[in-house]
Amino acid sequence: MAMSQPDPDGIYRDGAAKRKARTDLAMDCLTRLWAEAVDAVPFDVPAKGVGLAAVGSLARGQIGPSSDLDLVIIYESHALNDRQLNDLANKLWYPLWDSGLDLDHSVRTRQQCESVTDKDLPAAMGWLDVRPIAGDTQLIADTAASILERWRKAARKRLPELLDSAQKRLDEFGRLPYLNQPDIKETRGGLRDSVLVSALAASWLADRPHGAYDDAVEALLDVRDCIHLAANKDTNLLLTPYQAKVAAMLGFADPTLPEGEREARSIDDLQTRLARLGRQIAFALDSTASRAQHSITHEKPRFSFFQMMNPRAGGKREAPKFDVLAPGIVSHEGEVVLAPGVDPARDAALPLRAAVASAESKLPINPATLANMRHAPIRDSVWSGETRDLFVRLLASGSELMRVWDEIDFVDIPGRWMPEWLGIRNRPSASAAHRYTIDRHSVEVVSRLERVSAASGRQYDEAHYAALLLAGLLHDIGKRPFVTDHAAEGAKHVPVILRRMGYAPDIVEWATLLVREHLTLSEFATGRDPNDPATGAELAARVNGDRALLDMLYDLTRADGSSLGATAGEQLTKQYGWSRWREAVVRGVYAAARSAMIE
C-alpha cells in the first residue's frame, strides 16, 4: 500500500510502473519465503519435482495494492510424500495468512492441474498466465505448456462454454458503462473480459487486439488500483463512498470549482471515462469472439474438396450465403452485416435499418459492420418518413432494444441522431433508487412500454404509441447537473428534439406533456387523497382531460418505477420504485382521474 500511494499532489500516476513494482516485490518476497520454508522443514526438499508458481493477476503482472495472491505448489508424486507436502505448504501459507494477505492456494500434481483445467473453465483461463516463483521452475513451465496445448486443442469445443460464461456474467453483473456502482472486474467491459480476450487469443482462433484496447485495460487497472486505495481493501466495487476519492486520484477533480460541485462533476467525468473504457473492452471481446466463431465456421465442409465436386457447385467453392433483412442489410453466419457492395458513407439511414434488423431478427451486429457505420452521413436535422418510422420500430423492439442500443452506442450513433442525448449519456443518477446511469435507465423504460395499455387494456394507435415510446426515451433528458426540476427541464428539450426530427405536431405535444408530467402520478399517489374529488379533477386537468394520455402516463409511470434496477440489497426511496403497494396506490389516483373525466 505504501508504494502504491498517489503523488504528493494526490494524483495516481504511472500505474503500470506501480503494478510492475508491486509484482517484483511480491515475487521477491515469495522467493525468499520459499527458501525460508525449505530451510525450516525437517527434511530435504529436492531441487527437482516440486515448485511454487503464481497464477491470476500476479502472474499477469497486474496485481493491485490490496489484491489477493493466487499460488500453487506443483509436485511430482515421487518427490515428497503427503506429510512432507503438508509441512512445506504450511510453512508457506501461514506466514502469508499472518501478514493479512488474502490467499487462494492449492497443491497439485501436473496431472491434477491438467484435469482441473480440462473441466473448470475459470481455472483453465487462470492457467493461461503462469509465472514460476521458486523450486523446480522447469516442472512449472512444462505444466503450463501442457495446459496451453490442451486448451488450444479443445478450444473449438470450449468456445461456446467460454462465450456462455461471458453471457452469464452479463446477466448477473450488467454492463460497465451503465451502472452507477459497477463491479469493474465482473461487468461486461470489465477486467474479466480482458482475460477472456487473452484466452481467445491463446487458442489461436483469433488475434488479440492491441493499441486502444491495451490502453483501455491499463486505464481500467488504474481505476481498480485507486478503488483499493480508497477502500483500503481488496474490492472491485466502485461504491458511492469511494467515487469522489477515486475521481480525485485519477485527476478528475477541478480545484477551481467549489466544494460539492467539484466532487459531483468529477464523479460524472469518472463515469464517462469508465463507460468509454468499458465499451472499448466489450467491443474487443465481441470482435475477437466473432472472429473466433468465423474461423470455426470456415473450417466446415462448405469450403471442402467434396463440395467443389458437387454438380451444383460447378467445380467452384460454394459462395457465402446471405439472407436479406432490409435494403443494404443482410444476415451472414448468425450476424447482421452490410450487403456486398454497400457503401455506408452514402446512406444516412443504414445504421437505423441495421439496428432494426438486428432487433427484429435477434441477431448481433457484426463488429466490423458497426465500425463501418461510423461513416454514415447522419445529420440530426435531416430525417425522413422512413427514418422516423424506423426509429419508432427500433424503440418498439422490447427486450432486444437494450442490446442493440448498446451496440450502436459504442460507435456513437444515438448522439448523432439526438445531440441532446450526449447530455445524459453515461451520467450517474443522483437518486439512491437508481442502480443504472440515466441513459441506461431511459432505454430500459422504453423496452417496457407495450402497445396494449397496462392501465385500460386498450391498444394504442400508431401515433399515440410513437409518442409514448419517444416520451419514454426522453423522460429524463432534463437530468443535467444542478437542475432542480428535471421534468420541467426535459419538457423544454423534447419539442425541440422531436420537431427537428419532423414528427407530427400531435406526437410532439403528447410526448412533451408526458415528459413534463412523468412524476405526477407517483407524487399524487404518495401525497394526495384519491378519495378527494379535487385530486381526480386536478390530475385529469394535467392530461387535458384525455383518457388516452392518462393511460399513457400510467404506463410511463409503471415502466419508470419498475426499471430503476435497484437490487435486493439496495433501498428504494418512498418516492420512487414499483411494488404491489405502489401499483395499488397509483391505480387509486388513476381511477380518481378517470372518474373525474366521466363526470
Side-chain angles (χ1 to χ4, degrees):
M1 291 292 283
M3 67 191 305
S4 305
Q5 293 303 310
D7 291 349
D9 62 357
I11 306 299
Y12 186 83
R13 297 185 179 90
D14 301 321
K18 286 183 170 68
R19 285 185 284 278
K20 183 180 184 305
R22 285 193 295 268
T23 300
D24 292 344
L25 173 67
M27 295 297 289
D28 179 63
C29 290
L30 290 168
T31 301
R32 287 189 280 113
L33 180 60
W34 173 268
E36 293 169 3
V38 168
D39 290 341
V41 294
F43 52 85
D44 292 332
V45 177
K48 298 293 183 181
V50 61
L52 179 64
V55 294
S57 62
L58 178 57
R60 293 190 295 271
Q62 296 178 344
I63 191 169
S66 295
S67 291
D68 63 356
L69 299 179
D70 293 323
L71 304 176
V72 57
I73 295 175
I74 303 175
Y75 71 99
E76 293 177 341
S77 56
H78 63 78
L80 296 172
N81 60 40
D82 290 346
R83 181 187 58 79
Q84 291 171 330
L85 275 171
N86 186 60
D87 288 346
L88 178 61
N90 286 339
K91 295 296 183 182
L92 292 168
W93 308 151
Y94 274 97
L96 293 170
W97 287 325
D98 292 343
S99 73
L101 288 170
D102 291 328
L103 178 63
D104 187 356
H105 62 90
S106 60
V107 180
R108 294 194 178 104
T109 64
R110 169 175 168 172
Q111 291 73 25
Q112 288 172 335
C113 290
E114 292 171 346
S115 176
V116 168
T117 54
D118 284 347
K119 299 175 183 177
D120 187 334
L121 184 65
M125 290 191 294
W127 265 91
L128 297 177
D129 293 289
V130 182
R131 185 176 294 207
I133 298 174
D136 189 350
T137 57
Q138 188 59 51
L139 172 63
I140 297 168
D142 291 345
T143 304
S146 172
I147 290 172
L148 179 58
E149 182 181 359
R150 296 164 80 93
W151 171 257
R152 286 172 176 157
K153 287 181 179 179
R156 286 157 179 78
K157 293 182 179 179
R158 301 195 74 174
L159 180 60
E161 181 187 3
L162 189 149
L163 298 181
D164 184 56
S165 73
Q167 183 61 45
K168 287 179 179 177
R169 281 192 300 104
L170 172 59
D171 295 340
E172 180 177 357
F173 295 98
R175 300 178 186 273
L176 177 58
Y178 295 141
L179 295 169
N180 285 331
Q181 301 182 77
D183 183 321
I184 66 163
K185 182 178 181 180
E186 301 295 349
T187 49
R188 173 57 65 90
L191 294 172
R192 184 77 72 186
D193 280 357
S194 69
V195 177
L196 263 64
V197 170
S198 296
L200 287 168
S203 71
W204 288 350
L205 294 176
D207 293 331
R208 180 186 181 281
H210 293 284
Y213 168 74
D214 286 333
D215 294 341
V217 173
E218 289 297 321
L220 194 55
L221 286 167
D222 286 349
V223 176
R224 186 278 317 270
D225 293 351
C226 291
I227 294 174
H228 283 193
L229 293 171
N232 200 37
K233 63 180 180 180
D234 182 12
T235 179
N236 298 296
L237 286 170
L238 184 56
L239 299 177
T240 299
Y242 310 147
Q243 290 177 357
K245 297 176 183 176
V246 171
M249 279 188 272
L250 292 171
F252 291 113
D254 185 346
T256 64
L257 295 176
E259 188 174 349
E261 182 180 352
R262 181 194 313 141
E263 287 77 11
R265 290 190 182 276
S266 70
I267 292 172
D268 277 0
D269 291 342
L270 171 61
Q271 291 279 15
T272 301
R273 174 69 166 154
L274 274 177
R276 200 156 50 237
L277 299 177
R279 286 192 174 95
Q280 184 68 54
I281 293 171
F283 182 78
L285 174 60
D286 290 343
S287 58
T288 306
S290 175
R291 291 194 300 273
Q293 288 174 307
H294 289 175
S295 71
I296 294 175
T297 301
H298 293 165
E299 292 172 352
K300 292 181 180 179
R302 177 163 64 86
F303 293 101
S304 72
F305 170 80
F306 298 101
Q307 272 201 310
M308 292 172 65
M309 298 302 294
N310 188 311
R312 291 183 301 171
K316 299 179 181 179
R317 290 179 178 177
E318 184 181 340
K321 294 180 179 179
F322 300 102
D323 294 323
V324 176
L325 300 177
I329 303 297
V330 298
S331 67
H332 176 56
E333 296 180 358
E335 293 180 321
V336 173
V337 300
L338 299 180
V342 169
D343 182 2
R346 296 185 177 183
D347 191 347
L350 202 63
L352 266 171
R353 287 201 295 273
V356 172
S358 174
E360 294 181 350
S361 67
K362 299 185 178 181
L363 296 176
I365 303 174
N366 175 270
T369 295
L370 276 176
N372 285 333
M373 289 196 305
R374 290 182 188 269
H375 304 298
I378 298 171
R379 293 177 59 191
D380 63 281
S381 59
V382 179
W383 289 76
S384 64
E386 178 199 9
T387 53
R388 283 189 293 272
D389 291 344
L390 284 169
F391 192 64
V392 171
R393 279 176 63 187
L394 174 61
L395 297 183
S397 58
S399 59
E400 289 294 305
L401 175 62
M402 192 70 253
R403 173 188 60 80
V404 177
W405 194 275
D406 182 61
E407 290 177 353
I408 60 177
D409 197 35
F410 174 76
V411 290
D412 306 318
I413 286 175
R416 295 172 65 189
W417 290 332
M418 300 177 297
E420 293 85 353
W421 184 258
L422 301 176
I424 62 170
R425 186 183 185 224
N426 308 327
R427 284 203 63 240
S429 176
S431 170
H434 285 262
R435 183 184 180 195
Y436 301 120
T437 53
I438 298 169
D439 56 336
R440 163 57 163 94
H441 165 70
S442 299
V443 178
E444 179 75 22
V445 167
V446 181
S447 71
R448 293 169 183 249
L449 295 170
E450 299 180 358
R451 186 176 289 274
V452 176
S453 172
S456 64
R458 283 192 284 270
Q459 181 169 303
Y460 294 115
D461 60 31
E462 296 294 335
H464 282 88
Y465 190 45
L468 178 60
L469 294 169
L470 292 165
L473 185 68
L474 300 174
H475 78 282
D476 277 349
I477 200 72
K479 278 193 173 180
R480 309 303 171 96
F482 308 105
V483 169
T484 56
D485 187 346
H486 74 273
E489 179 70 17
K492 298 176 184 177
H493 291 282
V494 171
V496 175
I497 296 169
L498 298 185
R499 285 171 187 154
R500 187 176 64 229
M501 297 172 77
Y503 284 101
D506 282 348
I507 292 177
V508 176
E509 180 184 348
W510 296 333
T512 301
L513 184 147
L514 290 172
V515 171
R516 185 179 66 243
E517 304 295 341
H518 77 270
L519 300 176
T520 300
L521 269 177
S522 288
E523 291 170 350
F524 273 48
T526 55
R528 302 289 291 272
D529 179 4
N531 297 316
D532 183 351
T535 299
E538 183 178 345
L539 184 54
R542 293 281 190 99
V543 293
N544 301 330
D546 188 319
R547 296 179 184 176
L549 279 175
L550 181 62
D551 287 350
M552 293 162 73
L553 185 60
Y554 177 88
D555 288 342
L556 179 57
T557 303
R558 182 173 181 267
D560 189 15
S562 64
S563 61
L564 295 176
T567 64
E570 296 172 332
Q571 183 177 1
L572 288 173
T573 66
K574 292 182 179 180
Q575 197 70 16
Y576 304 107
W578 199 256
S579 62
R580 292 179 181 176
W581 174 83
R582 170 70 56 181
E583 184 172 11
V585 295
V586 169
R587 275 197 172 273
V589 293
Y590 165 84
R594 290 278 299 186
S595 297
M597 291 178 184
I598 293 173
E599 294 171 2

